[in-house]
Amino acid sequence: MTANTNTATSSSDTPNEITLLQPDDWHIHLRDGEALATTVAHAANSFNRVICMPNLVPPVKTASDAIAYRQRILDALTQADITKQRKDEFNPRMTLYFTDNTSATDIKNAAESGIVQAVKLYPAGATTNSADGVTDLKHCTQALEAMQKYGLPLLVHSEVTHAHVDIFDREKQFVDSTLGQIVRDYPELKIVVEHITTSDAADFVLAQGDNVAATITPQHLLFNRNHMLVGGIKPHFYCLPILKKATHQARLLEVATSGNRKFFLGTDSAPHATHKKENACGCAGCYSANIALPLYATAFDSVGKIDRLEGFASIFGAEFYGLPLNTSHITLHKQPMTIASSYPYMDGSTLTPLSAGETLPWSIKA
Ligand code: DOR
Ligand code: ZN
């Protein structure tokens, strides 16, 4: 990162402007069909590589599904109202959706496709569109062995799904009951613990070798469950894994800003139409694609660590996936920006972003 020394600094000596290697988003939901008209332009404005989650209906289960889905994303990109440079640099990387029937051949084909970056494990029933997910890891042995063999990473939604387990304990229980076992059984497998929300998950990742890393979302760095529940239920803060206590938020902020290469950017930007969030049974997901960088900058600056943003946003994820670093740059500056109250979305609906209508201290410099 280049801290611009020509720019006046605040009393705390925080630079008012930073230039980063163009970031990548290692966990995003773009959806499909008409949704792509909104989500692709927003993602491409900020990110070069994005890892696209496969929880479509029906899910992306094979390399040929992934190739077709990627083409639909690229078709939407050609229509997007963004600069030619952003279009040229945007590079969607695909994932397969792990099911009980994912075979070693599916993994081999994915590894050889050149566009499948990883395989996403949703415990069946854990979250949005996870009904076709894995019911028991005993069904996954051959696929996991093949992933280890071909170097295809496993991305994990780390929550148990048992009805009797409290929603705030589901991540910790999965870490304790399952993650350690996967690491022991497949010691060479690359694993990303996605969107970690607890100090337990952070500590687990820290205790493993270089083959185990984690993504962290902007909402889990900036907010805790009080933001969602005190003074009225605020559905746009509802995502899974759910926001936790402030002590967990503080630990996530600590590890994200520590410079440790195991922790990198994954927004988990997850669009749901406003009326499906503001609902008696609201959907899980925070939409942040186009405001993620100002959100992360605000979080890092809140603890005086804006100088650590570039590693987290632009370097450590690429290193983990064995990809080259980007060569272009983006500049953020301490100019307030007010987040839109909503965006047009699909057939006449709207999409309400995280922190809609709020003003952030950081913005992307045009
Ligand atoms: O909040 C979430 N939304 N968490 C997930 O795991 C899935 C995502 C979605 O697809 O909407
Ligand atoms: Zn996700």
Side-chain angles (χ1 to χ4, degrees):
M1 184 202 67
T2 322
N4 186 341
T5 47
N6 294 327
T7 308
T9 54
S10 65
S11 54
S12 63
D13 281 343
T14 300
N16 286 331
E17 185 170 304
I18 54 166
T19 296
L20 313 175
L21 289 175
Q22 193 75 36
D24 303 299
D25 185 350
W26 303 106
H27 183 132
I28 194 168
H29 300 263
L30 297 175
R31 310 293 189 217
D32 206 353
E34 283 182 59
L36 297 174
T38 303
T39 60
V40 171
H42 282 171
N45 249 337
S46 290
F47 300 107
N48 276 12
R49 277 83 53 108
V50 297
I51 289 193
C52 305
M53 288 298 124
N55 60 334
L56 308 181
V57 184
V60 179
K61 291 187 192 167
T62 64
S64 48
D65 292 345
I67 289 165
Y69 179 35
R70 186 169 193 269
Q71 189 56 51
R72 296 196 293 279
I73 294 169
L74 293 177
D75 291 346
L77 185 68
T78 61
Q79 305 297 319
D81 184 19
I82 57 174
T83 64
K84 180 171 183 313
Q85 183 185 351
R86 294 305 322 131
K87 289 187 184 186
D88 290 346
E89 293 186 5
F90 186 63
N91 181 357
R93 311 293 305 163
M94 311 314 289
T95 49
L96 292 196
Y97 184 112
F98 219 135
T99 74
D100 287 349
N101 300 317
T102 303
S103 67
T105 307
D106 291 331
I107 299 302
K108 178 173 188 289
N109 292 341
E112 291 173 352
S113 72
I115 57 118
V116 176
Q117 194 72 56
V119 182
K120 178 69 187 284
L121 169 61
Y122 292 102
T127 187
T128 307
N129 299 342
S130 63
D132 295 334
V134 169
T135 62
D136 193 316
L137 276 172
K138 70 179 184 217
H139 301 301
C140 303
T141 311
Q142 288 174 1
L144 287 167
E145 277 168 5
M147 288 165 63
Q148 183 168 247
K149 173 175 160 193
Y150 290 105
L152 200 58
L154 176 71
L155 314 185
V156 190
H157 183 109
S158 294
E159 287 192 288
V160 298
T161 55
H162 319 298
H164 66 274
V165 179
D166 188 278
I167 190 168
F168 293 102
D169 296 334
R170 289 181 173 206
E171 182 175 274
K172 176 177 164 35
Q173 286 226 2
F174 190 93
V175 169
D176 292 346
S177 68
T178 309
L179 271 185
Q181 194 59 51
I182 298 176
V183 172
R184 279 192 292 282
D185 289 348
Y186 306 94
E188 307 294 321
L189 182 64
K190 282 186 149 193
I191 300 172
V192 183
V193 189
E194 296 288 339
H195 40 54
I196 61 168
T197 65
T198 57
S199 55
D200 311 276
D203 291 343
F204 174 85
V205 170
L206 282 168
Q208 310 307 315
D210 291 345
N211 57 318
V212 180
T215 53
I216 309 182
T217 75
Q219 63 266 26
H220 293 103
L221 293 178
L222 284 168
F223 305 115
N224 59 65
R225 64 195 193 184
N226 274 11
H227 294 96
M228 179 174 58
L229 295 172
V230 173
I233 292 180
K234 308 196 188 59
H236 297 290
F237 286 121
Y238 175 59
C239 64
L240 290 170
I242 200 161
L243 293 174
K244 305 295 193 302
K245 289 163 76 151
T247 46
H248 291 293
Q249 178 199 356
R251 180 71 175 134
L252 297 177
L253 199 48
E254 187 177 32
V255 297
T257 63
S258 68
N260 189 307
R261 307 178 107 74
K262 284 173 165 291
F263 301 98
F264 45 82
L265 186 155
T267 61
D268 198 20
S269 177
H272 294 274
T274 304
H275 68 276
K276 294 192 172 169
K277 297 277 301 167
E278 298 173 6
N279 189 292
C281 184
C283 294
C286 298
Y287 186 70
S288 63
N290 60 331
I291 46 157
L293 295 177
L295 288 168
Y296 281 115
T298 301
F300 276 58
D301 198 19
S302 73
V303 288
K305 297 279 177 62
I306 195 74
D307 59 317
R308 295 276 166 82
L309 183 59
E310 186 179 48
F312 178 84
S314 314
I315 297 175
F316 304 156
E319 285 180 351
F320 179 84
Y321 282 103
L323 296 170
L325 299 187
N326 294 323
T327 51
S328 57
H329 294 84
I330 191 168
T331 298
L332 304 176
H333 60 170
K334 221 169 183 174
Q335 291 289 320
M337 78 154 212
T338 300
I339 299 172
S341 56
S342 68
Y343 309 104
Y345 187 57
M346 300 182 71
D347 49 357
S349 298
T350 63
L351 181 57
T352 302
L354 185 63
S355 296
E358 300 290 328
T359 299
L360 296 177
W362 287 84
S363 52
I364 298 173
K365 193 172 179 183

